[in-house]
Amino acid sequence: MSVLVFAESSEGKFKKTALEVTSYGKKVAEQLGTNLVVLTMNSSDSSILFNYGAEKILTVTNDALKIFNAKLVANIVKQAAEKESSQVVIIDSNANGLYFAPMAAANLNAGFASNVIALPSVTSPFTVKRKTFSNKAFNNTQILTDVKVISLAKNAFGLVENKVSGTTEEFSPVLVDSNLVSTSIEQTSGKVTIADADIVVSAGRGLKGPENWGMIEELASVLGAATACSKPVSDLGWRPHGEHVGQTGKPVSSNLYIAIGISGAIQHLAGVNSSKVKVVINTDPEAPFFKAADYGIVGDAFEVVPKLIEKLKEFKANNA
Amino acid sequence: MKILVCISHVPDTTSKINFAENDSKFDSNGVQFVINPYDEFALTRAMWFKEKQGATVTVATVGNAATEPTLRKALAIGADDAIRVNAEALDGFTVAKELAEVIKNGSYDLVLAGKESIDYNGGMVPAMLATLLDFNFVNACIGLEIEGDKATISREIDGGKEMLEAKLPLIIAGQKGLVEEKDLRIPNMRGIMMARQKPLTIVESSNGKATTSIVSFEKQPAKSACKLVSADNLDELIGLLHNEAKVI
Ligand SMILES: Cc1cc2nc3c(=O)[nH]c(=O)nc-3n(C[C@H](O)[C@H](O)[C@H](O)COP(=O)(O)OP(=O)(O)OC[C@H]3O[C@@H](n4cnc5c(N)ncnc54)[C@H](O)[C@@H]3O)c2cc1C
Ligand SMILES: Cc1cc2nc3c(=O)[nH]c(=O)nc-3n(C[C@H](O)[C@H](O)[C@H](O)COP(=O)(O)OP(=O)(O)OC[C@H]3O[C@@H](n4cnc5c(N)ncnc54)[C@H](O)[C@@H]3O)c2cc1C
């Protein structure tokens, strides 16, 4: 018996979400009275996982895994879960995790629940709370199979230190064939992505035109934030599609979401609602975003944002 | 090329979400149902393959009779025929098993689905389907070209995109980018008239056992009121974000 967590690393380094799923997995293992096993691939040093509760680390090292292949990874997770007799398998909600988690579940003939936001409320029958209806509600889902696979929503649990003295074991799974070939990867480097960002600065049609995004980028850079936009802004070609957030765009679950010149349409809010703290800057006090926000400024973005940038720079200088 | 587009029948994005029977069921009273927005991208791309490459396009859904208007809408957009698996869509895995039967029986080369349903947000049916059938699968697909039996695919990754190549048969889970928003098809009068004559086949379910069960729903808890800060007092905002919210 065990709980198995997949901890994703990139260029040998663990992502924050890897530490989050490990923290979560440790608590689930405690609830079930069993041990936490963490599976890693091509990470140079996994010892940090002991700080978050990994009792056993399985390390797979293989050049064939340098480029992510969902079918390969899903199959390795299956082999690890079988080897460790895992009852529960936990995966993060990064792009790769979302891709292979349901494949791993199908491999294991396991019931699968995505968007899980809390520890199981009951372990028998195994019941988890999930986001549903695009963040407009939650549901409590029972997983009825012996083996259960869950995807933990990003930033839903946080990091919990829990130092244990664990062991590390080399694991050499069989690699299945995949004739799906990755030919190239284009990734903007040095820019915070919406998926990884703690803070997201987002702007809408209230900004009037693409030429006005300089101040949005500057505000984001002062805060170390990612930039995002409303759907019409990307439809109009003012900003790249990758920045479109909302129900039909990227979901945001950052710690802080700042919405500038965005009215707060239901489809927009659905995608950003799970951010912990929301700030709105809008000229119209009746804009629906004020109902969803924690803090609001009624004002003109073209006056407020430059001032806010200056004030934040001062704040950063004093708190460095 | 035979294409199957998987259609999920979902509440319109503007729907108010309410629950009935002691919060154990979604309350569909007064709710308008539509083709899942992600599936519209898949369907529009399929229409392109039909028009430019002579593909045939079948749409399929797993659901009860109430889903038929949604299938008719897909036919009005231009699909050739429709299949409804007569089963309550009980969970994503069961839906995938039902669709796997449809695909085995129809020997489709290409299966286009959406990245996730906007109601249950499982993000699982296409991936499970591909695993059950041992087809190649690409999630979060933002570009797809087919030449003969070779597919060139792009998928969205965190902060960028990846290009891939695969042989058919292939399943993709699509989103915006697969086609542009402005190119999405809406049914016209002629399409709606023609859709009435097109075949909609009902197949019986294979009665798989559900692997998950939703026992209750909860709405988002009521939010406390927004704290308004004067535009002339941004230090106050920064103070609140630092000391109260602790996010900067
Ligand atoms: C099926 C469907 C799916 C959709 N999915 C999404 C989605 O995923 N994401 C999304 O964002 N939208 C989505 N939409 C669109 C959504 O309904 C809204 O149309 C959209 O979010 C509005 O964008 P906006 O807030 O930028 O623009 P607007 O609604 O035009 O709002 C602009 C705001 O800027 C304010 N403003 C104007 N000037 C200033 C100024 N100088 N300073 C400060 N504020 C100013 C105005 O008061 C106004 O509130 C979807 C719609 C449909 C039908
Ligand atoms: C009365 C009722 C009870 C339900 N009870 C449960 C429950 O107890 N547990 C539970 O998990 N779910 C339940 N559901 C939800 C239902 O099972 C979902 O439709 C199904 O789980 C697939 O949703 P998903 O979010 O996983 O799809 P996703 O995997 O997010 O969908 C991705 C894509 O797969 C395709 N797809 C999804 N669903 C279908 C479909 N039905 N037919 C054809 N293609 C499809 C579409 O292309 C879609 O874009 C219930 C639904 C109803 C109506």
Side-chain angles (χ1 to χ4, degrees), chain A residues 102 112-114 130 132 139-142 144, chain B residues 5-10 24-26 33 36-40 42 60-64 67 71 83 85 87-96 98-99 112-129 139 172-174 210-215 217:
Chain A
F112 173 65
S114 55
R130 307 159 62 189
T132 190
N139 70 48
N140 293 297
T141 300
Q142 291 180 351
L144 307 169
Chain B
V5 183
C6 302
I7 303 283
S8 179
H9 157 92
V10 299
S24 68
K25 288 214 156 50
F26 174 64
F33 280 82
N36 187 37
Y38 294 108
D39 306 354
E40 288 188 67
T61 198
V62 178
N64 58 26
T67 64
L71 283 178
I83 297 173
V85 180
E88 201 72 71
L90 276 184
D91 75 339
F93 205 170
T94 319
V95 168
E98 300 280 7
L99 290 171
L112 305 178
K115 181 178 78 161
E116 66 175 43
S117 73
I118 62 161
D119 51 2
Y120 294 91
N121 307 104
M124 62 201 278
V125 171
M128 290 180 143
L129 190 52
N139 198 31
I172 62 103
T211 56
T212 61
S213 165
I214 296 175
V215 284
F217 291 93

Side-chain angles (χ1 to χ4, degrees), chain A residues 205 208 230-232 244-245 247-248 261 263 267-268 282 300-301:
Chain A
R205 204 148 51 181
K208 316 278 189 278
S230 67
K231 178 169 175 286
H244 159 199
V245 295
Q247 185 162 12
T248 53
S263 56
Q267 300 95 346
H268 185 88
N282 196 308
D300 182 342

Side-chain angles (χ1 to χ4, degrees), chain A residues 203-208 229-233 244-250 260-269 271 281-285 287-288 299-302, chain B residues 12-14 37 40 181:
Chain A
R205 204 148 51 181
L207 279 232
K208 316 278 189 278
C229 68
S230 67
K231 178 169 175 286
V233 165
H244 159 199
V245 295
Q247 185 162 12
T248 53
K250 284 207 176 66
I260 303 163
I262 295 177
S263 56
I266 188 165
Q267 300 95 346
H268 185 88
L269 294 177
I281 301 171
N282 196 308
T283 40
D284 175 8
D300 182 342
F302 296 99
Chain B
D12 173 38
T13 57
T14 55
E40 288 188 67
E181 181 92 21

Side-chain angles (χ1 to χ4, degrees), chain A residues 300-317:
Chain A
D300 182 342
F302 296 99
E303 288 164 22
V304 176
V305 175
K307 270 202 279 177
L308 185 59
I309 292 169
E310 289 319 306
K311 294 280 187 193
L312 279 167
K313 281 186 181 161
E314 276 171 39
F315 168 81
K316 292 274 172 187

Side-chain angles (χ1 to χ4, degrees), chain B residues 62 85-87 93-102 105 203-209:
Chain B
V62 178
V85 180
N86 187 27
F93 205 170
T94 319
V95 168
K97 287 173 187 162
E98 300 280 7
L99 290 171
E101 289 305 312
V102 171
N105 294 333
V203 300
E204 281 317 310
S205 96
S206 45
N207 289 316
K209 215 167 122 238

Side-chain angles (χ1 to χ4, degrees), chain B residues 55-77:
Chain B
T56 58
V57 178
T58 303
V59 289
T61 198
V62 178
N64 58 26
T67 64
E68 285 191 10
T70 301
L71 283 178
R72 288 279 172 212
K73 186 176 170 199
L75 291 172
I77 287 172

